[in-house]
Amino acid sequence: MVAAFFFLIVVPALGFWGAVTWASSVLGAVALLIVWFLLMLAAAPRLRSLSLLLFTVSVGLLAGELLLRSDLMNRYVEDRDLSEFRRGLETTLEPLIVPDPALAYRLSPDRKARATAVKNGRTIYDVTYMTDVHGFRALPPDGKPAGYTPVLILGDSFAFGSGLPDDETLAWYLREESGAELQPVNLAVKGYGIHQVLRQLEIGEPLRSGHQRFPWAVLSIVDDHVLRVAGRVQWLHDSPRYVVEPDGRLVARGTWVHPSDFVESLIVGSRLFALAWKAFEVDEPGERRLFVRILQEIKAKLAADYGARLVVLYYSGETWHGDLAGWRDMMVPLLCKADVQVLDVNALLPRLPQPVDRFYIADDGHPTALLNRTIAAALVEDFRRGTVDRGSLRCAR
């Protein structure tokens, strides 16, 4: 009995844990189980029945995982297949991020950092990010007299300008397209969720720029922001946690607690496990209510404390492989329910068959310089008119 427990439970469990934790390969871990139990079938006749059962279960797990990864099942599996995105991808970033007790992390002030991304030996980008004395993404001087209209840039890596030099970001093109009339203040940080944006507003981060009022604030949102506000992404350890009370009030409650690294690796690397986790551990309606309430609170906070009108830039789809639809069926009703002005970024793009990688960096998914310039031109025109028009999201009434 002890030998059966050791060879059929302890050894394969350790092998599975090691493959998931160190190699980040769930498929490899399941394949390891299959090979091990096959060896046990041949080497231990007395344990054949139990070995056969465990071998069959392992084959079933592998078959289920492969089926869920097939094109046939994509429509039923919402979550982004991050393991596919990361396969063959190597990224580097010189020291730029520092821990922060209020926001989980922030950008280091007055820093220059090189960032690279290589996919299967092909360089995707090799750029340098610069921050100013406040820890905001810097705007290089352009030699033009500075205007007097500050604009807040908020959000994640799309607004930050991931994969682009300082003179190809959305903030840069807002200044250029406005003839330097607009002076963007870029508070966006790679990986941020809108709950961190709300905390930035609550602790007065925009005021550190020296400006008290901002006529406009631009906030980038991608499909997985519903997951981010609920702490359901790996990098948001210790990010601020908000809850919606029964009376609808939004209340800050400490930080998000994450599962172990092993469980997180399973969630990211296995569609089968991710579906099981979502079925038993995730309150999807609650997460969507939380997303809407945080977005509403951001809009109200910007208006009350900073005099700013909010414009949301919605980037739909898994743009790293050319998908521009993504979770629109879920996200559009949520954005409409939040009652915010939304510029539907992909509505600005020319109709296909223009290659998507003209607008989104291939194998990366972040906006190219051309897309940032296109968005900036539309925003400058809309700001001058006082309302979002080009690319405006149409909500059913």
Side-chain angles (χ1 to χ4, degrees), residues 6-306:
F6 180 78
F7 285 108
L8 294 181
I9 303 297
V10 175
V11 172
L14 288 174
F16 185 85
W17 176 84
V20 171
T21 304
W22 296 329
S24 299
S25 174
V26 176
L27 286 179
V30 177
L32 181 65
L33 293 182
I34 292 172
V35 171
W36 178 256
F37 293 130
L38 191 60
L39 289 174
M40 292 302 299
L41 276 170
R46 292 183 180 181
L47 302 177
R48 181 165 296 169
S49 296
L50 190 53
S51 297
L52 180 60
L53 174 63
L54 294 173
F55 171 78
T56 304
V57 170
S58 300
V59 171
L61 287 174
L62 181 63
E65 184 66 37
L66 292 174
L67 177 62
L68 288 173
R69 291 175 183 231
S70 68
D71 292 339
L72 178 67
M73 298 299 292
N74 274 341
R75 59 179 295 187
Y76 302 106
V77 183
E78 283 185 337
D79 299 274
R80 294 170 179 230
D81 193 352
L82 292 179
S83 60
E84 180 185 344
F85 171 68
R86 292 172 178 169
R87 191 173 299 119
L89 179 66
E90 298 179 12
T91 61
T92 65
L93 177 62
E94 293 177 349
L96 183 66
I97 306 295
V98 293
D100 184 89
L103 298 165
Y105 61 91
R106 64 164 64 240
L107 302 180
S108 299
D110 202 19
R111 186 66 60 88
K112 180 184 291 188
R114 182 186 178 196
T116 67
V118 177
K119 179 87 168 181
N120 297 322
R122 183 182 70 84
T123 298
I124 298 174
Y125 59 76
D126 186 343
V127 297
T128 298
Y129 305 142
M130 293 184 63
T131 58
D132 62 18
V133 294
H134 307 294
F136 305 154
R137 179 98 192 246
L139 268 181
D142 62 356
K144 300 175 184 176
Y148 298 97
T149 308
V151 176
L152 266 180
I153 308 295
L154 304 165
D156 56 14
S157 53
F158 280 55
F160 170 82
S162 184
L164 297 174
D166 296 331
D167 59 357
E168 293 184 0
T169 65
L170 176 63
W172 168 270
Y173 283 118
L174 279 172
R175 187 177 66 181
E176 293 302 294
E177 291 294 319
S178 67
E181 173 190 343
L182 300 179
Q183 292 299 310
V185 177
N186 193 350
L187 271 67
V189 179
K190 291 183 62 175
Y192 264 22
I194 61 172
H195 58 310
Q196 290 160 295
V197 172
L198 177 57
R199 183 58 56 87
Q200 284 180 311
L201 301 179
E202 290 174 340
I203 65 177
E205 284 288 288
L207 303 179
R208 297 172 58 222
S209 68
H211 300 287
Q212 302 294 313
R213 312 293 279 181
F214 300 82
W216 294 94
V218 178
L219 169 63
S220 62
I221 286 181
V222 298
D223 285 343
D224 71 356
H225 272 256
V226 174
L227 308 184
R228 296 189 195 190
V229 299
R232 278 213 288 139
V233 290
Q234 283 185 303
W235 60 88
L236 289 182
H237 289 258
D238 302 319
S239 65
R241 177 174 178 255
Y242 292 88
V243 297
V244 180
E245 297 285 13
D247 61 2
R249 289 182 302 117
L250 187 68
V251 179
R253 292 275 177 82
T255 59
W256 286 106
V257 177
H258 286 250
S260 67
D261 291 340
F262 171 71
V263 173
E264 285 187 346
S265 296
L266 280 176
I267 295 172
V268 171
S270 167
R271 286 191 166 188
L272 189 62
F273 190 86
L275 284 176
W277 180 266
K278 184 163 63 174
F280 293 103
E281 297 290 336
V282 174
D283 175 15
E284 286 189 317
E287 290 178 353
R288 295 173 188 181
R289 285 193 301 272
L290 179 62
F291 173 83
V292 170
R293 280 295 293 116
I294 290 177
L295 196 49
Q296 291 171 334
E297 192 69 19
I298 289 173
K299 176 184 175 182
K301 194 78 174 172
L302 282 168
D305 294 358
Y306 302 96

